[in-house]
Amino acid sequence: MTREETRKVQIGDVTIGGGSPVAIQSMTNTRTEDVPATVEQILGLERAGCEIIRCAVPTMEAAKALGEIKQQIHIPLVADIHFDYRLAIAAIQHGADKIRINPGNIGDKDRVRQVVEAAKERQIPIRVGVNSGSLEKELVEKYGGVTAEGLVESALGQVHLIEGMGYENLVVSIKSSDVLMCVKAYEEIAEECPYPLHVGITEAGTLLAGNIKSSIGLGLILNEGIGDTIRVSLTGDPREEVKSAKLILKTMGLRKGGIEVVSCPTCGRTQIDLISLANQVEDMVADIPLNLKVAVMGCVVNGPGEAAEADLGIAGGIGEGLLIKKGEVIRKVPEEDLLDALKQELLNWHE
């Protein structure tokens, strides 16, 4: 099923599936029991562009904290549950907009049923999540190891279990740190599953490795029309996950808005500190609500041409740069004033 064909599911005030825009999700790394710290992190993620947030619920105290957290944030709150079905029920009772469970580690069928009944009573969706690291032993043996086929069979088995309990308000995810296995698993389950799919490469790694693996995996999956919510899993500040997710969606043509910064890789001809300048420009434009392309170029070989193709650009010279707007040179600016000059042009932008 492609994005247009999946069922619509409501998570708080965010609709996913049925052709809705792909939603950006992240997860807090604070102790959920620490309400002030968790709320502060979520508000920062909201500003970065996060649209759905998930919190770990390893204790009853964490489940109860969800109610306080929810009152202070503005995006849907998802409870991440493992092992203890009572935590899932408590999270639902304290206002979670969705719960994420792996029915395989929640316990017996009766315990899963109790969770399903609690979700049914409040009409909140359940995300059935399967990870390659926790694939059932019998499926590992059946397929001779962890495979895409085994992950799909596990996920579908758990979906059918909940469907058999009379509940179809579901979201499905299959996660693996093996990029190509993950891609194959999503291709297979998209043919079998009518529910929205949450997509991500789990345990992707640090900022560099995680971004590369996530970009390749998510790019391949999204390009096939698969995926309704995404998370870029990184070992680091969750705001980096959101920034990366936004850029992946924009690169895939699935998200518009915001300023796109393009910059050259530098070479021996570069006469300004372009690396520092490009990073400063990227940080500076993050909160400016314009749908523009800004070029930061280092020399006269491609600089003026590339900058002319952007809405606004800099073409570096010797300790200075040309400021170019819509293909026209506006003025020459000393290197130390380039960032401020660019910022003023953006703040006073009009077509």
Side-chain angles (χ1 to χ4, degrees):
M1 307 290 286
T2 64
R3 278 184 291 278
E4 288 72 24
E5 298 168 325
T6 55
R7 295 183 186 178
K8 285 192 174 183
V9 167
Q10 197 70 27
I11 306 168
D13 59 2
V14 173
T15 303
I16 65 169
S20 302
V22 178
I24 295 172
Q25 184 167 314
S26 186
M27 188 171 182
T28 54
N29 59 14
T30 56
R31 289 183 66 253
T32 307
E33 298 88 341
D34 187 343
V35 172
T38 302
V39 168
E40 181 181 7
Q41 187 171 77
I42 294 173
L43 294 177
L45 286 164
E46 289 179 6
R47 290 190 292 271
C50 184
E51 294 158 328
I52 300 171
I53 188 63
R54 181 160 47 112
C55 294
V57 180
T59 66
M60 193 58 70
E61 184 185 355
K64 293 176 179 177
L66 296 179
E68 293 182 64
I69 293 167
K70 187 176 175 180
Q71 292 175 16
Q72 302 175 63
I73 65 174
H74 313 92
I75 57 177
L77 181 62
V78 181
D80 188 83
I81 312 293
H82 287 280
F83 309 118
D84 192 337
Y85 76 104
R86 294 167 297 185
L87 296 178
I89 295 170
I92 293 168
Q93 292 171 341
H94 286 87
D97 295 301
K98 181 176 82 169
I99 59 166
R100 185 270 193 188
I101 61 171
N102 181 340
N105 70 27
I106 282 289
D108 60 29
K109 191 173 180 180
D110 180 64
R111 291 179 174 181
V112 175
R113 186 184 301 277
Q114 290 184 57
V115 174
V116 171
E117 291 301 321
K120 189 186 300 185
E121 182 180 341
R122 301 214 179 194
Q123 280 302 299
I124 70 161
I126 296 172
R127 177 181 139 201
V128 176
V130 174
N131 277 7
S132 58
S134 57
L135 187 62
E136 295 96 316
K137 184 179 178 181
E138 57 268 26
L139 290 175
V140 174
E141 292 174 352
K142 176 180 177 179
Y143 291 100
V146 177
T147 64
E149 293 82 3
L151 291 170
V152 171
E153 183 172 332
S154 175
L156 290 177
Q158 294 175 18
V159 165
H160 296 328
L161 173 67
I162 295 175
E163 287 175 330
M165 297 173 180
Y167 202 54
E168 297 184 347
N169 192 2
L170 302 176
V171 179
V172 180
S173 70
I174 296 177
K175 299 286 193 72
S176 173
S177 57
D178 183 316
V179 173
L180 296 182
M181 181 191 297
C182 204
V183 172
K184 185 178 180 183
Y186 274 105
E187 289 171 342
E188 291 188 8
I189 201 164
E191 296 179 0
E192 305 278 346
C193 176
Y195 303 109
L197 296 174
H198 171 70
V199 180
I201 308 299
T202 195
E203 298 155 2
T206 55
L207 197 59
L208 176 61
N211 268 317
I212 291 172
K213 292 174 73 172
S214 294
S215 297
I216 293 171
L218 290 172
L220 290 169
I221 294 165
L222 292 168
N223 193 51
E224 296 189 53
I226 298 168
D228 300 282
T229 67
I230 65 168
R231 179 190 177 194
V232 176
S233 297
L234 300 175
T235 305
D237 188 331
R239 288 175 297 183
E240 295 295 334
E241 298 186 351
V242 175
K243 287 166 60 178
S244 297
K246 288 169 65 176
L247 190 52
I248 289 170
L249 290 178
K250 286 176 69 175
T251 303
M252 299 298 299
L254 296 170
R255 183 69 61 103
K256 292 187 176 3
I259 295 176
E260 177 188 3
V261 178
V262 295
S263 57
C264 72
T266 76
C267 69
R269 287 183 290 268
T270 306
Q271 300 293 316
I272 62 173
D273 185 2
L274 189 74
I275 295 172
S276 175
L277 181 61
N279 280 289
Q280 290 179 74
V281 169
E282 194 170 68
D283 290 339
M284 183 259 291
V285 304
D287 297 323
I288 299 177
L290 294 172
N291 185 18
L292 300 175
K293 183 176 183 179
V294 173
V296 185
M297 311 305 293
C299 78
V300 297
V301 174
N302 293 320
E306 294 286 350
E309 290 181 8
D311 297 288
L312 191 64
I314 295 167
I318 302 175
E320 60 186 15
L322 298 177
L323 197 61
I324 301 171
K325 181 178 180 180
K326 295 290 188 181
E328 299 292 329
V329 175
I330 301 175
R331 61 185 181 276
K332 190 179 291 185
V333 181
E335 179 178 356
E336 61 271 19
D337 298 330
L338 279 170
L339 187 66
D340 285 339
L342 194 66
K343 183 175 184 179
Q344 289 308 310
E345 288 294 330
L346 291 169
L347 292 178
N348 296 299
W349 184 266
H350 56 85
E351 295 293 340

